[in-house]
Amino acid sequence: MLKRKIIRELTKWKKEATNKALLIKGARQVGKTTIVRQFAKENYKNFIEINFEQMPLAKQAFDGNLDARSILINLSVMGYGPLEPGKTLIFFDEIQSCPNARTAIKFLVEDGQYDYIESGSLLGINYKDVSSYPVGFEHELCMYPLDFEEFLWACNIGEEVIEMLRNCYTNLCPVPDFLHQQIMERYRQYLIVGGMPEVVATYLSNEDFNKTITNQKDILTGYRNDISKYAGKDKLLVKSIFDAIPGQLSKQDKRFVLASIEKNASLRKYGAPTQWIVDAGMAYYSFNVGAFELPFPSHENLRLYKLFFVDSGLMCAMMLNNIQAKVLTGDIFVNEGAIAENYVAGELVKHGISLNYYDRKSKHELDFVFPEGNKISIIEVKSGKDYKKHPSLDMAQSMFADKIYRRIVMSGNNVEREDGTLYLPFYMSMFIR
């Protein structure tokens, strides 16, 4: 069983007894069902799991009156139980397939006899079918693939090692060379394996990496099947955007350009299909901000954006054959920059940081900007050997010095501080909050 940080949030939810259902959102295959089952086993006498995609007849329990008594009687008649007040967790999985169940959560929570967790891979897609949201009766959590620290746990890297790395990050001192090389090797493994729990487990239990790649391609097939099944009339457009993400990130500027998919493509035509992919958790937006000012949402240009893939390992599986071997050996240049930037984006999202990039009239682009200490911190991602050449960062310092909290360059090199710029190894993104 893989150790996941989100289990702390589930435990906190139960202890605080907030009289709210827990809603867990996230892309397919990130481990939502597994973590709920583990949590239930450790905290409840009884556990009732209803997957509305696998057991569509269960939807009938919500076809009539939506008061708690009627629903619970219907579920009991269907054989779901035992129902012991105060000792039972009821788990509605793939709840987007039963909008009435989402509406009924308010009444079930108000009844107060049982705890409820909802989950779904496409919760952002079927929102139009929910007649009334249970506002004030849900506590929402987002679940993602394993972050790099969780990957280290899976690789049996001890807490004392991670604490040593954390101290080097906090005190801005170099990591001992042997340890740095070992963790960089794990970082390169993470780039090609990614954080999908089933993929990680396959990788750690099999010496044949082909099985890992097969597992990744199965997940990608599942994503494409979801698009075909749920994206309706936009499915062809959604698929074209989905398949274009790795190539768009491999460009020098990494901005998603619709015209590269279709000549004269418009945001009016492709905006909703792109949002579909983001709502399904398959990708993350990084919007351009044209002003170096907080708050960023006030300065976002929603027509200019990058799309980062949900998982670096899955992105590698979508790219050219044998790219995994090149990433492991470091024998790669342009594509490694794309994968490395996608990795950093994923770490930031998992740690609660919204993604934005800055450029001024398409010049001097800064890869990531985010609020920190009431100022703005900058991250530049450098995959090559010239990581100390960063004209965009220098420009920002010359123009906005009083607004900058930290200037960070992430590369494959050790911790260093020079002329006010902080150089960090890629793996230290796990400490940025």
Side-chain angles (χ1 to χ4, degrees):
M1 183 69 69
L2 297 173
K3 180 181 176 183
R4 304 299 306 271
K5 294 177 182 177
I6 196 172
I7 200 74
R8 304 170 188 164
E9 298 299 321
L10 272 68
T11 302
K12 180 180 177 182
W13 163 75
K14 178 173 172 54
K15 286 183 177 179
E16 290 183 350
T18 55
N19 294 320
K20 292 184 179 182
L22 185 64
L23 176 69
I24 304 178
K25 302 174 68 174
R28 201 176 292 281
Q29 296 289 329
V30 298
K32 301 184 296 297
T33 301
T34 299
I35 205 70
V36 173
R37 289 171 179 168
Q38 176 188 341
F39 174 70
K41 184 177 180 180
E42 295 172 354
N43 292 276
Y44 293 88
K45 179 180 178 182
N46 305 307
F47 176 52
I48 298 171
E49 177 179 345
I50 302 173
N51 185 309
F52 289 110
E53 287 189 357
Q54 294 177 359
M55 297 170 281
L57 289 178
K59 300 177 189 178
Q60 295 179 8
F62 302 86
D63 284 346
N65 294 330
L66 294 184
D67 63 285
R69 185 172 182 273
S70 296
I71 292 170
L72 293 169
I73 288 175
N74 290 344
L75 291 176
S76 181
V77 169
M78 289 179 174
Y80 294 107
L83 291 165
E84 291 187 61
K87 299 179 180 180
T88 303
L89 174 64
I90 301 176
F91 176 35
F92 296 138
D93 202 1
E94 302 298 353
I95 196 171
Q96 77 280 349
S97 293
C98 185
N100 280 349
R102 185 83 187 277
T103 299
I105 280 294
K106 172 184 176 181
F107 310 111
L108 292 169
V109 169
E110 283 182 326
D111 177 62
Q113 296 187 75
Y114 313 106
D115 289 348
Y116 296 90
I117 294 181
E118 310 158 82
S119 184
S121 303
L122 298 170
L123 275 166
I125 305 306
N126 288 2
Y127 61 91
K128 293 181 181 178
D129 296 329
V130 180
S131 61
S132 176
Y133 280 97
V135 177
F137 293 89
E138 290 177 330
H139 175 64
E140 185 174 312
L141 286 180
C142 290
M143 189 171 181
Y144 303 100
L146 278 76
D147 66 15
F148 184 63
E149 185 175 8
E150 290 173 317
F151 180 75
L152 292 180
W153 293 344
C155 294
N156 293 318
I157 304 298
E159 288 288 353
E160 67 281 0
V161 174
I162 296 175
E163 189 59 31
M164 182 182 295
L165 296 173
R166 184 178 285 105
N167 287 336
C168 291
Y169 169 80
T170 302
N171 299 317
L172 305 182
C173 58
V175 177
D177 188 63
F178 173 78
L179 178 57
H180 171 69
Q181 296 301 328
Q182 291 295 309
I183 302 301
M184 276 302 299
E185 183 177 342
R186 294 295 185 183
Y187 156 76
R188 287 190 289 270
Q189 291 172 5
Y190 181 79
L191 287 187
I192 63 174
V193 174
M196 292 297 182
E198 186 178 350
V199 177
V200 173
T202 299
Y203 173 73
L204 294 177
S205 62
N206 290 277
E207 295 181 359
D208 183 0
F209 193 73
N210 289 324
K211 293 181 180 179
T212 300
I213 296 175
T214 298
N215 198 317
Q216 290 171 328
K217 291 186 175 179
D218 287 344
I219 293 175
L220 291 169
T221 297
Y223 282 4
R224 292 188 178 96
N225 289 341
D226 279 344
I227 293 171
S228 296
K229 184 176 179 180
Y230 295 107
K233 60 182 177 61
D234 288 334
K235 62 184 177 183
L236 294 180
L237 299 180
V238 174
K239 279 187 177 180
S240 65
I241 295 167
F242 179 84
D243 290 330
I245 293 175
Q248 297 275 316
L249 287 175
S250 295
K251 300 183 307 179
Q252 185 172 0
D253 66 1
K254 298 178 177 59
R255 183 165 64 86
F256 201 95
V257 179
L258 292 174
S260 64
I261 299 177
E262 177 188 346
K263 187 177 180 180
N264 299 322
S266 67
L267 192 61
R268 176 177 294 181
K269 180 177 180 179
Y270 281 89
T274 304
Q275 188 66 49
W276 195 100
I277 290 176
V278 174
D279 286 342
M282 298 175 185
Y284 312 126
Y285 274 125
S286 177
F287 286 111
N288 168 265
V289 288
F292 203 81
E293 299 281 350
L294 295 175
F296 286 143
S298 300
H299 304 285
E300 287 180 342
N301 183 344
L302 302 184
R303 301 182 66 86
L304 300 177
Y305 57 87
K306 302 176 184 179
L307 278 181
F308 290 104
F309 208 66
V310 64
D311 183 72
S312 64
L314 294 182
M315 192 171 86
C316 282
M318 294 176 71
M319 299 174 85
L320 298 175
N321 290 335
N322 300 320
I323 195 172
Q324 290 88 351
K326 294 179 180 178
V327 172
L328 277 178
T329 59
D331 185 23
I332 191 170
F333 297 100
V334 176
N335 282 330
E336 185 177 14
I339 300 167
E341 191 166 331
N342 196 87
Y343 156 78
V344 173
E347 289 292 290
L348 295 178
V349 167
K350 292 164 191 170
H351 301 159
I353 298 175
S354 297
L355 301 182
N356 289 104
Y357 72 97
Y358 170 86
D359 70 21
R360 187 168 177 263
K361 297 180 180 179
S362 299
K363 295 181 180 179
H364 299 301
E365 180 181 302
L366 302 172
D367 295 335
F368 299 100
V369 290
F370 61 96
E372 189 175 26
N374 296 319
K375 291 189 176 184
I376 298 171
S377 287
I378 304 167
I379 295 178
E380 284 278 86
V381 178
K382 298 287 186 180
S383 58
K385 296 180 180 180
D386 60 346
Y387 66 99
K388 290 193 175 181
K389 293 181 180 179
H390 34 70
S392 296
L393 203 60
D394 298 338
M395 175 278 302
Q397 175 62 19
S398 66
M399 296 181 65
F400 311 118
D402 60 329
K403 299 178 182 178
I404 297 175
Y405 187 78
R406 288 197 294 177
R407 306 194 313 272
I408 301 171
V409 173
M410 309 216 74
S411 72
N413 297 275
N414 213 324
V415 180
E416 188 178 352
R417 190 176 181 89
E418 184 178 294
D419 297 330
T421 298
L422 178 59
Y423 298 91
L424 296 176
F426 287 122
Y427 56 79
M428 283 195 174
S429 59
M430 64 180 168
F431 301 129
I432 297 176
R433 297 289 186 270

